[in-house]
Amino acid sequence: MDDLTALTRQQLDDARASAHGRSAHLFLHDGPLRQTVIALIAGAALDEHNAPPAASLQVLEGRVRLTGPRGSSQELTAGQVAVIPHERHGLEAVEDSAVLLTAVTEMPARVRGKAPVGTGTVAARG
């Protein structure tokens, strides 16, 4: 089990010591599921890049700006979670920040809209 508080602190320290002002640590890799703590010092950014099939961004510390297509942007602060746009996007640190990126790198065809809505079943776990 990983300690997000400790990972956040370590990645922020690493970002502050880095020439490019960022640091990342992939701590969970299970099939198509990935979870990564990313730290950026104020003013640092992840340039525009492609989106995985599904992803979310949770701000662990600080304040970031998630940029999207055609100049759109959304500012997020510690404790907030947002869905990553399904288009090219970027991330800018408004202040020293750490985020938790949860990404699914592949999805079965039925999840991507190949099966009609309402045809799936949900099993209860006990």
Side-chain angles (χ1 to χ4, degrees), residues 20-110:
H20 50 75
R22 37 181 214 245
S23 179
H25 177 69
L26 172 67
F27 69 92
L28 188 145
H29 180 181
D30 183 16
L33 177 65
R34 310 282 190 278
Q35 285 194 304
T36 305
V37 172
I38 302 168
L40 303 164
I41 62 167
L46 298 177
D47 292 335
E48 191 176 273
H49 53 279
N50 292 326
S56 68
L57 190 73
Q58 178 182 356
V59 181
L60 301 171
E61 187 172 319
R63 187 165 45 123
V64 297
R65 183 174 301 112
L66 182 60
T67 60
R70 296 170 294 286
S72 65
S73 70
Q74 178 180 14
E75 203 163 283
L76 303 164
T77 60
Q80 292 184 309
V81 179
V83 172
I84 300 290
H86 290 210
E87 299 169 302
R88 291 182 62 79
H89 63 279
L91 185 67
E92 303 169 9
V94 177
E95 55 191 49
D96 289 3
S97 302
V99 299
L100 173 63
L101 172 65
T102 301
V104 176
T105 58
E106 60 186 59
M107 295 175 65
R110 66 175 172 50

Side-chain angles (χ1 to χ4, degrees), residues 121-126:
T121 59
V122 177
R125 293 184 183 215

Side-chain angles (χ1 to χ4, degrees), residues 10-23 39-41:
Q10 181 62 55
Q11 292 312 300
L12 280 167
D13 288 347
D14 290 353
R16 289 177 182 124
S18 168
H20 50 75
R22 37 181 214 245
S23 179
L40 303 164
I41 62 167

